[in-house]
């Protein structure tokens, strides 16, 4: 009853994953289940702490401290404090294990706030599990070397984009902590189901569409642009507003604009905030004749229907409320 009252006070209409998904998942667990993987989103202080009281996690993974939700939290420091509630709730080691991204200074410092055993992953040899020799293979995935103690494994996984190495590393870290063999971990990473949010689809006219419309932050958009850079064809970046960045709003959009100017052959922005991407790209030397600023996804659909060619590679990305997914759905039928 006390937890229910606290949960009601923390409810946030924008965070349906926490409000509905996690409690329902817990209630559906049966005696035959051995493990459950839960995603805990941060919106307000105390939210993750309460979710930990409900779920009693033994292994906690913290991926990064970005700028998404900074509008609500106020700063990256506040986001870090909120996400640290997860590793603070873990039982003392060896029953509890905090799996932390060594490459993110905010996350690395969380080791000081937990009684659990700490397991680092990253691209730095200082981590317990680390990778080097990272090579993006475009739509064929990514290749890298995996290092753990004295072992070196040469890996190739079907995840799209060089940034996917961190996804593979943390998945492997969880596997190792849970006692899986290397063969089981490798089989899981090579599964056709490992690609998560960014997917590649073909329009009927042959154009390649990179659908990364689940959500958007400066870091994830830069990673998507890096993937676009690896591919062959006329590169079109269709980028929408990145919301809830708070004090990082201008800087985040400007960073994306500079990178888009280096990668894209044509830049289309959707939304008022995304216009800052266009402005930054122009300041970086990108020809204004190759930049189009639009108000909504419907305008983007009409424009792309006229311009999209069979050799084009189109990245579509923006915050979920921008409905960039409608652009992908319309382009697939061309």
């Amino acid at each position: 009853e006390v937890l229910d009252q606290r949960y009601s006070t923390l409810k946030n209409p924008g965070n349906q994953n926490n409000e509905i998904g996690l409690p329902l998942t817990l209630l559906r667990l049966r005696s035959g289940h051995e493990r459950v993987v839960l995603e805990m989103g941060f919106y307000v202080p105390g939210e993750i702490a309460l979710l930990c009281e409900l779920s009693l996690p033994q292994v906690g993974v913290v991926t990064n401290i970005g700028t998404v939700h900074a509008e609500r939290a106020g700063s990256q420091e506040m986001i870090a404090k909120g996400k640290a509630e997860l590793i603070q709730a873990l039982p003392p080691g060896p029953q509890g294990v905090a799996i932390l991204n060594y490459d993110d200074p905010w996350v690395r410092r969380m080791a000081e706030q937990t009684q659990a055993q700490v397991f680092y992953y990253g691209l730095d040899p200082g981590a317990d599990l680390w990778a080097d020799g990272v090579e993006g293979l475009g739509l064929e995935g990514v290749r890298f070397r995996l290092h753990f103690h004295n072992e070196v494994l040469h890996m190739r996984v079907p995840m799209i984009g060089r940034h996917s190495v961190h996804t593979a590393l943390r998945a492997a870290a969880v596997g190792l902590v849970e006692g899986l063999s290397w063969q089981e971990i490798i089989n899981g990473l090579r599964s056709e189901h490992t690609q998560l949010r960014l997917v590649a689809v073909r329009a009927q006219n042959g154009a390649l569409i990179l659908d990364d419309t689940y959500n958007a932050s400066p870091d994830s958009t830069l990673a998507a642009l890096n993937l676009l850079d690896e591919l062959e064809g006329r590169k079109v970046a269709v980028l929408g507003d990145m919301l809830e960045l708070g004090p990082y709003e201008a800087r985040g959009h400007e960073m994306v604009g500079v990178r888009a100017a280096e990668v894209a052959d044509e830049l289309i922005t959707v939304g008022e905030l995304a216009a800052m991407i266009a402005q930054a790209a122009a300041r970086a030397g990108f020809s204004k004749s190759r930049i189009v600023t639009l108000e909504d996804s419907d305008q983007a659909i009409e424009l792309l229907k006229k311009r999209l060619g069979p050799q084009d590679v189109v990245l579509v990305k923006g915050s979920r409320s921008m409905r960039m997914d409608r652009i992908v759905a319309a382009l697939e039928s061309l």
Side-chain angles (χ1 to χ4, degrees):
E1 190 174 325
V2 172
L3 285 176
D4 183 62
Q5 291 174 357
R6 286 179 55 202
Y7 190 65
S8 296
T9 63
L10 287 171
K11 274 190 174 184
N12 188 300
N15 199 4
Q16 294 185 2
N17 178 67
N18 283 357
E19 290 180 21
I20 301 171
L22 187 144
L24 282 180
T25 300
L26 293 175
L27 290 171
R28 288 170 178 161
L29 294 179
R30 298 292 181 265
S31 59
H33 291 101
E34 295 183 5
R35 303 287 190 278
V36 59
V37 180
L38 303 170
E39 180 181 7
M40 296 183 179
F42 169 74
Y43 274 71
V44 294
E47 184 174 23
I48 288 179
L50 176 57
L51 294 172
C52 288
E53 289 187 56
L54 294 171
S55 58
L56 303 176
Q58 293 175 297
V59 177
V61 183
V62 183
T63 59
N64 60 66
I65 304 300
T67 52
V68 175
H69 311 319
E71 185 175 39
R72 299 172 188 266
S75 67
Q76 279 186 292
E77 183 178 8
M78 290 302 297
I79 295 172
K81 286 182 179 179
K83 290 192 175 184
E85 292 172 3
L86 169 59
I87 55 96
Q88 291 166 0
L90 297 172
Q95 290 84 9
V97 183
I99 298 177
L100 305 178
N101 180 359
Y102 192 84
D103 299 332
D104 187 317
W106 292 98
V107 177
R108 188 167 65 244
R109 289 194 293 267
M110 289 183 186
E112 304 166 2
Q113 303 180 53
T114 184
Q115 300 180 63
Q117 177 183 339
V118 174
F119 188 109
Y120 284 121
Y121 71 90
L123 302 181
D124 190 299
D128 299 291
L129 176 69
W130 58 284
D132 66 356
V134 180
E135 181 185 356
L137 304 175
L139 298 182
E140 301 302 316
V142 62
R143 180 186 292 128
F144 56 94
R145 286 191 301 268
L146 202 60
H147 301 261
F148 182 65
H149 295 163
N150 295 322
E151 297 179 280
V152 180
L153 288 84
H154 292 260
M155 300 286 295
R156 178 174 174 174
V157 298
M159 301 177 191
I160 300 175
R162 291 167 57 90
H163 59 284
S164 297
V165 172
H166 275 90
T167 303
L169 282 169
R170 53 182 165 260
V174 172
L176 290 169
V177 165
E178 289 296 309
L180 297 183
S181 68
W182 273 119
Q183 192 57 56
E184 290 172 313
I185 291 171
I186 291 170
N187 289 345
L189 291 175
R190 289 178 175 170
S191 166
E192 62 181 12
H193 302 296
T194 54
Q195 185 57 43
L196 301 178
R197 294 175 177 173
L198 191 156
V199 295
V201 296
R202 288 279 180 186
Q204 290 187 13
N205 73 347
L208 178 65
I209 305 166
L210 302 179
D211 178 2
D212 197 4
T213 57
Y214 178 82
N215 215 333
S217 67
D219 287 344
S220 67
T221 305
L222 290 171
L225 286 167
N226 290 340
L227 170 61
L228 184 64
D229 193 32
E230 295 176 11
L231 303 177
E232 297 294 329
R234 191 179 78 95
K235 300 167 187 177
V236 181
V238 184
L239 306 177
D241 291 353
M242 297 181 292
L243 304 177
E244 298 187 18
L245 299 183
Y248 308 100
E249 184 177 88
R251 180 171 176 268
H253 286 85
E254 288 167 4
M255 289 169 55
V256 168
V258 171
R259 183 57 178 150
E262 297 171 341
V263 171
D265 295 305
E266 182 174 2
L267 172 62
I268 299 170
T269 65
V270 179
E272 183 178 349
L273 296 179
M276 290 190 286
I277 296 175
Q279 293 161 7
R283 288 195 298 270
F286 198 67
S287 173
K288 292 183 179 181
S289 64
R290 294 187 285 148
I291 301 175
V292 180
T293 56
L294 303 173
E295 295 180 0
D296 54 45
S297 58
D298 288 332
Q299 292 179 348
I301 290 169
E302 290 305 311
L303 178 68
L304 288 164
K305 281 182 176 179
K306 299 173 184 176
R307 295 195 181 186
L308 196 64
Q311 303 304 315
D312 290 351
V313 181
V314 186
L315 168 65
V316 185
K317 188 166 179 63
S319 284
R320 197 181 312 184
S321 61
M322 295 302 295
R323 295 305 313 272
M324 305 294 282
D325 57 310
R326 296 181 66 252
I327 300 174
V328 175
L331 296 183
E332 280 189 86
S333 63
L334 286 182

